[in-house]
Amino acid sequence: MNEILKKMGLPQGSAKPRSTGLTMVLDKSLGIHGAIDLVETAAGYIDTIKLGWGTCALYPGDVLSKKIKIYRDAGINVCPGGTFIESIFEFADVEAMFDLLKDLGFNTIEVSNGIHPAMTISDKQTIIKKAVAKGFYTISEVGKKLPEEDRKMTYRHRVEEIKQDIQSGVSKVIMEARESGTVGIFNADGRINSELAYELFRNVDPDSVLWEAPAKEQQVWLLQNIGSNVNIGNVSPLDVLSLESMRRGLRADTFRDFCKDSRRVFLELGVGGAIRAQRRGDVVVVVDALRASTTIEQCIAKGAKEVIPVTSATDLVGEVTIGERGGSKLPNADYGNSPLLIGADAVKGRSVVISTTNGTECIMSATGKDSVVLVGALTNCSAVAQAAIEIAAKLGKSITLLAAGRNNQPAIEDRAAVTEIMKKIGNVTPRGVLEPFYSDELEKDFLESDSGLNLVSLGYMDDVVFCSKIDMSDAVPIFDGKRLIKYSAEMFP
């Protein structure tokens, strides 16, 4: 590291060996001098080099040995590639070949089943266990080389295989995208398959995955949606410094993310998004517009001492209880989840316990030692946006606007409310799993949403209309780990 980066006060990056922020380079045919040049300029930013396409079997023996030594002496792991392991499964004895690879200096094995027509997941797990037993740093790959086969893999198949590979002992799992970046989480044109990516983000820890992303635009998307410490593979030797410059905010594509006044805002969905935000340590604004967020905000606005969220109906015990499932009042609750039916005389100065279908679970899931959780709705739109800005600026955090959703799917009313809060925050390039929803007819959209129609059918039309109103209150509930109380700027001096 030179003095320029230190003087600029930019992130220094973690020292090797590291577990996140990994860069895997695809060496397709570098000669000795090319390997030396790569190491001289970028060794500190490369964690693993993969000799692609079985080329380790094609180099002259002395050239192969020299290249491996150059990389290993620079602290870089060296891997013969996944397709090569599939080829030895077909043509040679796996354990004997592992011994030869170790003697040659390889210290990393990638195990895949992306192209072999008969290699089963069970075969793959067996090879993983053999590689681990031989002392290799072992990684696996999930996905298929042929687009028509890869498209048949649902996110559930991928998640299950990732989990099985991790249980078998791999350190990381590669998400297949090929050298072209046109399968897996990328479409045939190289653009992100956001639906698949978001489902994977929801169901596996993104840090456990090494995401193949050869194109700059793909790398930018991953950096902005997972963070600068995302693990990225299939990087060209010529692009190592380019990727590292984007990790540090030195390139225009990510520069604004590192500016002092920048506002990094993620739009997330449901419990999975809450967990991701919690892991990032964000300021999280939980939005369940119909109706949990609005009800909680109104309780605080009407003078409640505290609002205690609980996920189970059996825990709904307290001075005042509010409980709802599917829009209907729980039998053991004092009130249903209605912001209009709960008056100030019922809650002022009192402790309120609340349990709702989605909102309370999202609040609890977003809570961690580094995150800050607020509750937002259209009714406190400007106030919660300002609170999130203040806290994020003081603590140096990103902001997540979390839509609770309906049955783990995006809900129009939550998307609309999240978008209005985002607009109040201003100067935002949104990232994350959720598409904004810009509405000029909030009341109509709320009434015609699935949740709105359900609530109208249950007799709560006035609630829906009230929840669609902007800035009815300046009260911002903040969660302290056990209860929601009224936010004040003095909490974060």
Side-chain angles (χ1 to χ4, degrees):
M1 201 71 63
N2 68 38
E3 290 298 315
I4 295 175
L5 195 65
K6 294 178 183 177
K7 288 289 186 183
M8 294 176 74
L10 290 169
Q12 299 295 304
S14 56
K16 295 193 292 185
R18 50 191 159 232
S19 59
T20 59
L22 303 179
T23 296
M24 174 183 272
V25 170
L26 180 61
D27 176 348
K28 294 179 279 190
S29 60
L30 287 180
I32 296 298
H33 296 294
I36 293 171
D37 288 344
L38 179 61
V39 164
E40 284 183 344
T41 57
Y45 311 123
I46 303 170
D47 299 276
T48 302
I49 285 183
K50 175 162 54 175
L51 304 185
W53 309 329
T55 51
C56 63
L58 304 177
Y59 289 110
D62 62 331
V63 174
L64 177 63
S65 297
K66 288 177 182 177
K67 282 189 66 171
I68 293 173
K69 187 175 188 306
I70 289 167
Y71 293 144
R72 290 291 305 276
D73 286 349
I76 299 171
N77 294 325
V78 188
C79 173
T83 301
F84 178 73
I85 301 303
E86 293 185 50
S87 71
I88 66 172
F89 174 76
E90 176 69 20
F91 301 120
D93 179 77
V94 171
E95 290 203 57
M97 189 60 74
F98 279 174
D99 290 335
L100 175 58
L101 292 172
K102 179 158 281 192
D103 290 342
L104 288 169
F106 288 100
N107 68 333
T108 300
I109 293 294
E110 174 191 333
V111 184
S112 65
N113 62 342
I115 194 62
H116 195 290
M119 186 174 175
T120 66
I121 290 180
S122 178
D123 293 328
K124 180 186 179 188
Q125 310 302 323
T126 298
I127 296 172
I128 287 171
K129 291 173 183 176
K130 288 180 179 180
V132 172
K134 292 285 185 181
F136 288 103
Y137 177 81
T138 307
I139 54 183
S140 67
E141 184 173 67
V142 169
K144 301 297 182 182
K145 300 290 185 188
L146 300 179
E148 61 270 22
E149 293 181 359
D150 192 73
R151 282 194 294 269
K152 293 178 182 177
M153 291 189 71
T154 67
Y155 81 85
R156 289 186 178 88
H157 291 141
R158 296 175 204 268
V159 168
E160 183 59 31
E161 192 169 338
I162 288 169
K163 291 179 178 178
Q164 288 177 5
D165 289 357
I166 290 172
Q167 288 174 356
S168 295
V170 301
S171 296
K172 296 290 179 187
V173 180
I174 296 172
M175 182 54 55
E176 173 73 84
R178 301 209 68 183
E179 185 259 348
S180 58
T182 54
V183 296
I185 64 168
F186 302 110
N187 295 317
D189 60 3
R191 294 186 179 182
I192 185 71
N193 179 345
S194 57
E195 182 177 355
L196 174 58
Y198 298 157
E199 290 294 346
L200 291 173
F201 293 173
R202 287 175 58 191
N203 288 281
V204 299
D205 179 359
D207 288 344
S208 68
V209 178
L210 199 155
W211 307 87
E212 288 188 343
K216 183 197 74 171
E217 292 76 13
Q218 297 170 344
Q219 295 165 5
V220 170
W221 191 91
L222 288 167
L223 288 165
Q224 292 186 329
N225 282 275
I226 298 179
S228 58
N229 281 327
V230 62
N231 307 310
I232 295 181
N234 273 8
V235 179
S236 165
L238 295 176
D239 291 336
V240 175
L241 290 182
S242 166
L243 172 59
E244 196 64 26
S245 71
M246 292 191 293
R247 289 191 191 274
R248 311 296 181 93
L250 290 168
R251 187 166 178 172
D253 306 87
T254 59
F255 176 80
R256 289 189 177 181
D257 296 336
F258 291 80
C259 292
K260 292 183 177 64
D261 295 328
S262 68
R263 292 169 183 163
R264 299 183 72 239
V265 176
F266 293 84
L267 306 187
E268 294 277 12
L269 173 66
V271 172
I275 292 170
R276 287 192 295 276
Q278 181 258 112
R279 287 173 178 158
R280 285 193 297 265
D282 289 354
V283 177
V284 187
V285 180
V286 175
V287 178
D288 188 356
L290 288 175
R291 298 166 286 173
S293 293
T294 312
T295 298
I296 291 169
E297 175 271 309
Q298 282 293 293
C299 285
I300 295 296
K302 291 171 182 176
K305 179 178 70 174
E306 60 188 7
V307 177
I308 302 171
V310 296
T311 55
S312 172
T314 59
D315 294 328
L316 198 61
V317 179
E319 280 189 275
V320 180
T321 58
I322 298 171
E324 164 265 327
R325 291 295 183 273
S328 298
K329 174 183 170 296
L330 287 174
N332 62 324
D334 296 325
Y335 297 95
N337 181 19
S338 171
L340 290 180
L341 296 180
I342 304 167
D345 55 337
V347 299
K348 189 172 183 179
R350 304 179 76 185
S351 176
V352 178
V353 181
I354 186 170
S355 181
T356 65
T357 305
N358 283 329
T360 49
E361 187 174 4
C362 286
I363 290 169
M364 304 302 288
S365 298
T367 302
K369 64 182 181 65
D370 296 320
S371 59
V372 178
V373 179
L374 309 174
V375 172
L378 283 179
T379 51
N380 70 344
C381 188
S382 294
V384 78
Q386 186 58 40
I389 292 169
E390 291 174 0
I391 299 169
K394 289 177 181 178
L395 301 183
K397 294 181 177 292
S398 301
I399 297 171
T400 286
L401 304 179
L402 179 76
R406 179 177 169 85
N407 299 323
N408 291 317
Q409 297 298 317
I412 290 297
E413 69 276 8
D414 290 346
R415 288 175 60 201
V418 158
T419 303
E420 289 299 321
I421 296 170
M422 181 186 73
K423 286 163 59 179
K424 299 294 186 182
I425 292 173
N427 192 25
V428 168
T429 301
R431 62 206 66 192
V433 308
L434 197 70
E435 291 292 326
F437 181 79
Y438 296 91
S439 173
D440 294 324
E441 298 180 284
L442 287 167
E443 182 177 309
K444 178 175 180 290
D445 289 327
F446 270 49
L447 287 168
E448 293 181 355
S449 69
D450 289 343
S451 294
L453 291 170
N454 178 56
L455 289 169
V456 170
S457 72
L458 294 171
Y460 294 111
M461 180 176 176
D462 289 345
D463 275 6
V464 178
V465 172
F466 180 78
C467 291
S468 71
K469 304 299 182 184
I470 291 179
D471 289 343
M472 302 293 288
S473 165
D474 62 0
V476 177
I478 184 170
F479 191 52
D480 68 3
K482 294 182 179 179
R483 59 187 187 146
L484 290 148
I485 57 177
K486 188 172 184 178
Y487 164 78
S488 67
E490 291 72 26
M491 293 177 175
F492 298 90

